Amino acid sequence: QLQLVESGGGSVQSGGSLRLSCEASGHTFSSYCVGWFRQAPGKEREGVVVINGRNGETLYTESVKGRFTISQDNAKNTLYLQMNSLKPEDTAMYYCAAVDPRIFPCNFRRPGDFGSWGQGTQVTVSS
């Protein structure tokens, strides 16, 4: 099972940018489906984006398309989320997670399938 550690969160003004990082250990990142989820206070956890390390396919939630970009550096075993044009509604705790795509679909709409989770990093966007 992967161990995941997120970093890069912070406070920015609306329209600003942040880059989140998720460093993995325990297994090779490239063979997993990995992604980002977020949870705002009082709201359910929401899938943001996933990438299938086996074929490079990505899936973004509609609200972040054109603003967020997922990428991974397999040499560093690190996942990134570049977030541009941030909005107050992006405020949440952001988590990275991983699942074996040979066993479960690589789909953020199925968070229960993801067996490895990081501790989260807080993103706060002020208007």
Side-chain angles (χ1 to χ4, degrees):
Q1 199 170 23
L2 284 175
Q3 288 78 51
L4 304 172
V5 178
E6 303 96 334
S7 61
S11 297
V12 296
Q13 291 192 326
S14 183
S17 298
L18 284 172
R19 189 177 80 155
L20 306 183
S21 300
C22 174
E23 187 172 355
S25 60
H27 286 281
T28 303
F29 221 11
S30 60
S31 63
Y32 281 78
C33 165
V34 290
W36 293 93
F37 295 77
R38 65 187 180 185
Q39 188 167 20
K43 294 188 177 181
E44 292 188 355
R45 181 174 49 188
E46 173 191 25
V48 178
V49 57
V50 292
I51 182 168
N52 189 330
R54 292 183 174 267
N55 58 25
E57 290 184 349
T58 58
L59 176 65
Y60 289 85
T61 193
E62 197 63 35
S63 63
V64 308
K65 284 181 180 178
R67 300 189 298 122
F68 291 11
T69 303
I70 191 171
S71 62
Q72 60 185 92
D73 185 333
N74 292 332
K76 295 182 178 179
N77 229 24
T78 300
L79 180 72
Y80 302 100
L81 182 65
Q82 179 66 44
M83 306 186 295
N84 298 327
S85 302
L86 282 161
K87 304 175 180 180
E89 51 263 43
D90 295 318
T91 294
M93 185 71 79
Y94 283 71
Y95 301 89
C96 67
V99 64
D100 189 334
R102 297 171 299 178
I103 301 174
F104 294 106
C106 187
N107 190 333
F108 58 68
R109 297 182 182 90
R110 299 168 57 108
D113 293 342
F114 287 71
S116 298
W117 291 83
Q119 83 290 348
T121 186
Q122 178 68 37
V123 172
T124 303
V125 185
S126 58
S127 58

